[in-house]
Amino acid sequence: MAKKCRVRNRIRELRFLAGEMTQQELAQRIGVTRQTVVAIEKEKYSPSLEVAFRIAAEFETPIGDVFTYDP
């Protein structure tokens, strides 16, 4: 049986450090729904590469500091 690969993230922590930004605020800034942000944060959904870059840009953080791949 194949192991499930996961893309892990620090979005919740980064939102907190960014003045306790809400999920809704982040969603509006990156052009997705709040539900999408929730799913990404909970690692139930891996964002597209474009959305991942938008999130990293919003926090002015290298993408590798926001997302990690855990095979």
Side-chain angles (χ1 to χ4, degrees):
M1 184 164 75
K3 286 187 177 181
K4 187 174 183 180
C5 296
R6 288 184 161 263
V7 174
R8 303 210 182 271
N9 70 76
R10 298 178 47 228
I11 297 171
R12 185 174 179 156
E13 174 188 352
L14 292 167
R15 284 192 304 102
F16 178 79
L17 295 172
E20 299 188 20
M21 178 190 298
T22 66
Q23 291 170 330
Q24 183 63 45
E25 288 172 314
L26 177 59
Q28 289 174 332
R29 292 177 183 203
I30 63 171
V32 300
T33 65
R34 185 186 68 81
Q35 290 83 355
T36 298
V37 171
V38 169
I40 294 169
E41 273 190 20
K42 290 183 174 183
E43 300 172 355
K44 303 284 186 198
Y45 171 76
S46 294
S48 69
L49 190 54
E50 181 179 353
V51 170
F53 273 109
R54 282 192 221 149
I55 292 168
E58 186 59 42
F59 294 117
E60 299 178 356
T61 304
I63 196 166
D65 289 348
V66 180
F67 296 95
T68 55
Y69 178 69
D70 184 20

